[in-house]
Amino acid sequence: MASSDFVRDILTKWDLSQWIKNFEEEEIDEEGFLLLEEKEFINLIPKIGPRTKFAHKHKLLKEQNKHSNVDENFEVATTSTASINAAKSSSGNSIPSTSVDKLLSEKRKHEVANANMPRKKQKSRDASINLPPMFDSEQKAEVKKIMQRVRGKLDGMPSTKLTDFLRSKIDVLDEDRKDIVGVFGKTGAGKSSLINAILGKKELLPSGNQGACTSVMIQVEANMINEKYIAEIEFITVQDWKDELWSILRVTSGEEEEDEDMEIDVEDGDDHDKIKALYGKEGHGKNVEELMDKKLFEIPEFYSSCKKQIVCDTAEELSKKIACYVLSDSNSDTFERMYWPLVKCLTVKVPNCKDLLEHVVLVYLPGNGDCNKSRDTMWKSFVGNCSVVWIVSDISRAISEKESWEILDSTVSLIGPGGECRSISFICTKTDDIEESVKDNARSIILTRNESTKKRVREIFNKQKYVKKHFSDADGFFKVFTVSSKKYNKEMQSELDEKAEEWLNGLYDTEIPLLQEFLRNLNDHHTRTSDYISGVDGILSLIQAARNSDMTDRKEEVCQALEQKLADKLKWIVQYMEKPYNAFDQCLSKGVQQSEDSCDTLMSEVWKSCRGQYGIVRCLCENNGIYKPKGKKKKRKEIDVNESLASCMRTCIDEEFTYFFPNDKCGPIRKKIEDFTLDTNSLVEDNRSVSLHLKFLNTEEKKLKTQLIRDLLDKKKQIYFTLPDSIKDSMRVSYINASMHKGKGSLQRMKDELHLNMKKANIFRKAKKDMMDGLTKLKDHMVMQLKYKLEESIRMSFHTPNSLFLPDVTEDYNKIKELMGCSSTIPVTTILYPHTELQCQTVCQTNVQEPRIITSQHIRRPTYRLQFPEAGLFQCGLTGLVFEMAGKGNVCVKMSQWDTSVLGSMTPAGPLFSISCPAVLQLHLPHCMCNDEEVLSVAHFTGGTMEIVKPLKTTASHVVVNIPNPSLVGLIRCGLSILPVQSQVLLFLCPQGNTNQKGILNVFLLPKNVPTYEVEHQQKGSTFIQTSSECTLSPGRKYGLCCELVDYNIHLKSRTFDGDFSPNFLPTFQVNLECISDAKNMNLTLLDRETNDQKVWECVVQTG
């Protein structure tokens, strides 16, 4: 019995797909998977690292499964309905996608918002860590204004090497390469409707109806400027259209000279449709010059080679205006001029969708390219740049229809080794199309068919050996969705009373929200904004450093140390690059020999594909060895002589190429780039006078590595296509000569011409040399970029004398630091007098002043701003954090959300703090461990990457670490731990609506190093009951709460203590005080259920 799809999918999602076979052999299905015990894990996953990771995620999954089975109460349903109706009324009965996301998030919270439920928090929607900078557009816009102001000051200064360098760094801050999602599929599959539904715009892209279909490439991106819907139409050139007309009329009129003994391949269909769409009956019988007459149609932008722009207030209005540029309808009986034959590409800019499309572009890609060269070049460019590929198919034909799989098969070299695709999704549309007779049980039938189709589609994909071999983890990156755009739109327009749960379930059934979440994760707004602000911080740090430092011996020493490190690291990269070079050299040598031996066989296959037709062979020669079918012949496969001749060499290198240049994971060459570092942080402690210089270098190093990874993708695509491109270049002259043969016997003479050149030109040896040269150029590019750009940055940082002429950016620098670490709160405090000693478990509390914290209503989490008057040791009384400061300054602290998926086998051992602290020498993080043997480390997130930092020491209460410029920091430990931890029990009395009601007592079990104030902030409106809260609890162990009254006791259902550090806290237990008699006091006791109900904590609470 094979493992169920559920098990396969979940293991793939957890990056444990290599162990699927073990689960299949043990016949473990979904039910068995959820019932697995920890002792059984070792047989399924023998390796400790993956097993620890699995154990942690399995535990979380079981807890989530419990939550999903909790029935919703009436109060929850009423709340959801009210929220939904409010959202609808605010948007004219059409809920935008962002509102839906909030409702879906609300639904997830409600699933666990029940009395006595386990205190397990839901994962954040975007599955990413909330990085320290302010991530909404207003705050990013504020940073941009700061840099515009700084740039303006620099522009008013004379040109020097330093000012020119700073200007160039500011200019590249806004460079942003967007991720492309390519949407493929057969005509009528529902691609336009799918995109419309995902964006929450029912009428945006025109949808083909009754024979009409979308015929041009369409880019859909966010309008980040204003609230308008904008379309930009790019046309092919006038000369391109003239050449295409000449080709159409030449072929359809039979004017070509041909071999009198051979059949000519006459093309029509698409050609006829193009003439009919643009000219109607007026085009009949006209020659090229007559058809090019401007009087036949008026598009000024076409004749002037400009883009046409259409601006509208609504999506519906734009859709109507662009329909004539994108739709083709060959079955219409009436003539309405359509301009799609002239359109190269159409770009649609949509407002209010930056959460989905700020850094993402959806590209509608009809067919398999185009016979028009400019359109075909653009089509290949889009496909090659796709980060994600969506194959769209009608669910009723998803299994039986071959066209969807042929699209994947024909584009695999462009999206795989010759591209950058990291994910392929098969999207089955129109899932709500069922027979009228079964509509009484529609939902059950639809969901059953959806699951069955997903399983069958995966089975078909698993048989695509040619596709799978080009990806290192093909099973892991292939996903299947079953969607209904029509049902989604219907649900969005529906009126609701008290059917919130039914409505939300209906939305989930369409799976459109899953695709929205997919795009939101791809958009990755947080990381990109963080990178931008980090770049700004680095530039301002350099300006500050240049204004306030002179040339000193210390600077010269640091500079020399950095230059030596750079030289050593470059040698390291050069040495490594010999490995792929030698591997490719060996494989290509084998490929050259095979190609030379099988050359005649390869060409025989080409001629067989041509079916002896003179027209096809002539077309091959005229187009450098490439024949693209069109018209009625479009179902034939493309013929590419160059690809065919390169096939043996390609086969020999495929495995090595996928190893060294994978799209779907970090390959060894990319890993070398990521591991490259000058390790500037290690120099800060001994060279604090140049800490700002080192900070700038650290920022520049990260930006340079990011760009090199981008360059690696581009250059590996060039390297992959070197073989056919080199062969095409070697054969170019023979293609031209062969195309000139006409008359009787010309077909054979064309073949002979090509064969003769192949023998003489050594095309295979030249192709090998060109590919090896490409690898050498890649190595040289990496080394030169690292060498010259880092040398320049070092030189500008350390060889520049005091530059007081530079603008004073102190105010801007401080503002950036503030934005990087806090929200719009105004907390102020002096925590501790300087120079006090940190002793064992506590910090001296002399003259400690409590922080004054002011938060706006929309701020979900408090932000602490700490003011330090001078150098010394300070402790924040609210968070427990201790700062050893180098001098006067401000620190901003806020709790953030852990993303455990990036931790691997590690688990959180404390809260994740977002810290902005420019002058800290050492940071002390509070821990809650009881056992000295527990080994703790510190995770430091910056620029979207995680660094594990080894502590300097661990005291009884704190972990001390040296991180000069902390960003996101938190304690972690290896794997799961069942060792007891110092904990706390917090009580909050939540009032009910009626003042006479006693209310509900919320009981929280938390690790001791969770700040109490964080929970208080989230429990606004409740009364915090001061009591002895300290106790010792063991993660994973069950505890029960006993409420002892005068006449009887109440035992609440046992709950597992998970030691969670999420900043979104839910109560472990809830006690309804209204159910209690008139007793004024209640004794609360926490019992360890696994040690015969041993008491671990107790207190007396007044209830009257």
Side-chain angles (χ1 to χ4, degrees), residues 62 171 259 283 424 489 533 555 572 582 591 593 736 751 771 837 942 973:
K62 289 177 70 174
D171 290 342
D259 186 327
I424 296 177
N489 291 330
I533 297 179
K555 286 178 70 174
W572 174 65
N582 293 334
Q593 188 62 52
I736 295 172
K751 293 180 180 180
M771 177 168 273
E837 293 294 323
T942 180
R973 62 185 173 205

Side-chain angles (χ1 to χ4, degrees), residues 20-81:
I20 290 176
K21 184 177 179 181
N22 292 357
F23 285 76
E24 290 179 341
E25 291 176 350
E26 296 297 330
E27 299 184 355
I28 296 173
D29 57 9
E30 179 176 355
E31 182 180 2
F33 185 91
L34 295 173
L35 293 174
L36 283 174
E37 298 293 339
E38 190 167 354
K39 62 185 179 182
E40 296 162 335
F41 295 171
I42 191 169
N43 296 323
L44 296 167
I45 305 178
K47 292 189 177 181
I48 296 176
R51 186 168 71 247
T52 304
K53 178 180 176 181
F54 175 84
H56 175 65
K57 292 182 178 293
H58 187 266
K59 176 186 174 185
L60 295 179
L61 179 66
K62 289 177 70 174
E63 290 294 329
Q64 284 182 337
N65 191 57
K66 291 178 186 177
H67 300 164
S68 64
N69 293 326
V70 177
D71 292 330
E72 292 280 299
N73 57 35
F74 175 77
E75 181 181 356
V76 170
T78 305
T79 304
S80 298
T81 305

Side-chain angles (χ1 to χ4, degrees), residues 626-639:
I626 301 170
Y627 166 75
K628 295 188 72 68
K630 57 180 180 177
K632 292 180 180 178
K633 315 295 183 185
K634 202 164 186 177
K635 289 188 178 180
R636 295 180 188 168
K637 288 188 176 181
E638 177 181 320
I639 302 173

Side-chain angles (χ1 to χ4, degrees), residues 9 282 288 319 373 516 536 598 642 677 710 794 816 884 902 938 1068 1070:
D9 289 348
E282 295 179 20
V288 174
S319 181
K373 289 185 178 180
Q516 291 171 335
V536 170
S598 58
N642 311 302
T677 179
R710 181 70 258 172
I794 292 171
I816 293 296
E884 184 178 347
V902 302
V938 176
T1068 310
Q1070 288 187 313

Side-chain angles (χ1 to χ4, degrees), residues 604-666:
S604 294
E605 291 298 320
V606 171
W607 303 138
K608 187 183 297 184
S609 300
C610 295
R611 296 177 300 136
Q613 292 188 357
Y614 168 84
I616 295 179
V617 178
R618 170 82 179 273
C619 183
L620 279 174
C621 296
E622 289 180 336
N623 293 281
N624 292 315
I626 301 170
Y627 166 75
K628 295 188 72 68
K630 57 180 180 177
K632 292 180 180 178
K633 315 295 183 185
K634 202 164 186 177
K635 289 188 178 180
R636 295 180 188 168
K637 288 188 176 181
E638 177 181 320
I639 302 173
D640 191 328
V641 177
N642 311 302
E643 287 283 356
S644 297
L645 292 173
S647 60
C648 290
M649 300 175 73
R650 278 268 181 85
T651 301
C652 289
I653 65 164
D654 274 343
E655 185 176 346
E656 293 293 345
F657 201 96
T658 303
Y659 170 73
F660 284 107
F661 301 106
N663 290 344
D664 44 340
K665 66 178 183 181
C666 179

Side-chain angles (χ1 to χ4, degrees), residues 201 248 273 436 596 658 821 823 843 855 957 978 1002 1013 1035 1070:
K201 318 292 181 184
I248 292 171
D273 290 344
E436 192 69 32
E596 291 176 343
T658 303
S823 343
V843 178
T855 60
S957 61
I978 59 173
N1002 289 329
Y1013 184 80
Q1070 288 187 313

